[in-house]
Amino acid sequence: KAGVTQTPRYLIKTRGQQVTLSCSPISGHRSVSWYQQTPGQGLQFLFEYFSETQRNKGNFPGRFSGRQFSNSRSEMNVSTLELGDSALYLCASSLDYQETQYFGPGTRLLVL
Amino acid sequence: DAKTTQPPSMDCAEGRAANLPCNHSTISGNEYVYWYRQIHSQGPQYIIHGLKNNETNEMASLIITEDRKSSTLILPHATLRDTAVYYCIVRATIQGAQKLVFGQGTRLTINP
C-alpha cells in the first residue's frame, strides 16, 4: 500500500501571499490530521478531518484553514503568510479517528 | 492531555539494545502510549503503541509498568539508521476526535 503523500514537498512564498498544501491519505483511511513543526514550537496539531468534517482544531489563527474531499484527500490553506509560518507541515492519516496515525513526508514551506 | 517526560538525549553503541524511558504519571485509564520517531525532519514514523500489556513488533518492544505511569521503548539491536528523535506520546481524545501531543522527545544517537 502506498503511504501518505504530500504535495508539493518544498515551497517558497513571500509575505502576504497564500498557499495551499495537499495531502493524499493511505487508501481506505478516512481521517486526516495536519501538524506544523517549527524549531521553536516543535510539532503542533492544526486540525483533523473525518468524513469531510472538521472534528477538532488546534490553537492557530483563522488564517489556517483546511478541508477534506469525499475521497478523503485533504488540503490546508494558509492566507496572508507571515515569516513565522515557515515550517514543515505534516499530514497524517488513520483508518478512523481512533486509530493509529501514519505521517507523510511533509511539505517544507519557506516564507520570505 | 497527559504529559510525558523524556530525557533530551541518549547515546547507544551499535548492536546493543537501546532503552528509551518515558514518564507519563498522569495518564488516564483509557489512554494509549504511542511511540514515533523522526529522522532528519522527515515525517514521524510510527513504531509501536500499547495500553496495559507489553507489546512487541518487528521494530521494537514496549514495556509499560503495571501502574502505567512509565514505559520503556526497547530497540533490541540498534543500528546507525536508528539515530533519530524518539517521541513518547499519550494519545488524547477530545470530543471524539484525536490529536497527538508531541513533546520534545529524546534524541538518540547510535555510535559505531
Side-chain angles (χ1 to χ4, degrees):
Chain A
K1 240 183 204 179
V4 177
T5 57
Q6 293 187 244
T7 56
R9 293 293 311 278
Y10 303 92
L11 205 50
I12 300 176
K13 291 285 188 179
T14 56
R15 280 182 299 172
Q17 287 187 308
Q18 75 164 16
V19 67
T20 299
L21 311 181
S22 180
C23 171
S24 292
I26 293 171
S27 178
H29 285 197
R30 298 165 63 193
S31 176
V32 172
S33 298
W34 288 89
Y35 296 80
Q36 180 198 63
Q37 185 173 29
T38 60
Q41 299 298 318
L43 266 153
Q44 292 186 289
F45 172 78
L46 278 159
F47 27 64
E48 188 233 350
Y49 287 88
F50 178 78
S51 292
E52 302 178 65
T53 301
Q54 187 181 88
R55 297 181 61 89
N56 197 14
K57 191 178 191 312
N59 190 25
F60 279 82
R63 300 184 298 106
F64 292 81
S65 63
R67 60 178 176 169
Q68 186 181 32
F69 302 95
S70 58
N71 62 358
S72 295
R73 190 177 69 85
S74 178
E75 289 181 347
M76 67 162 283
N77 183 276
V78 188
S79 61
T80 319
L81 283 166
E82 301 177 0
L83 296 179
D85 296 332
S86 295
L88 180 67
Y89 289 88
L90 293 157
C91 166
S93 77
S94 58
L95 271 171
D96 203 333
Y97 62 88
Q98 296 283 5
E99 302 294 326
T100 299
Q101 294 185 15
Y102 296 91
F103 285 80
T107 293
R108 187 164 294 282
L109 171 66
L110 177 62
V111 181
L112 301 175
Chain B
D1 299 348
K3 294 183 179 178
T4 61
T5 305
Q6 299 178 253
S9 64
M10 291 183 63
D11 286 276
C12 180
E14 188 178 19
R16 305 294 294 268
N19 297 290
L20 292 89
C22 179
N23 182 288
H24 33 77
S25 57
T26 60
I27 191 170
S28 299
N30 61 353
E31 290 181 316
Y32 286 80
V33 178
Y34 275 77
W35 284 84
Y36 285 80
R37 71 181 182 184
Q38 190 173 28
I39 301 171
H40 286 308
S41 292
Q42 299 173 20
Q45 178 188 22
Y46 165 76
I47 301 174
I48 198 167
H49 73 281
L51 183 64
K52 294 180 183 178
N53 300 320
N54 299 337
E55 301 289 343
T56 296
N57 63 20
E58 65 278 6
M59 288 184 67
S61 295
L62 174 61
I63 309 298
I64 302 175
T65 58
E66 193 168 342
D67 63 7
R68 302 209 326 123
K69 292 185 177 182
S70 65
S71 61
T72 301
L73 178 74
I74 301 172
L75 307 177
H77 305 287
T79 71
L80 298 179
R81 287 180 292 182
D82 292 322
T83 293
V85 177
Y86 287 76
Y87 294 99
C88 169
I89 299 160
V90 172
R91 191 184 72 191
T93 302
I94 299 175
Q95 297 178 348
Q98 70 159 321
K99 66 176 184 178
L100 298 176
V101 180
F102 286 82
Q104 296 304 307
T106 295
R107 184 171 297 277
L108 175 67
T109 302
I110 305 301
N111 300 307

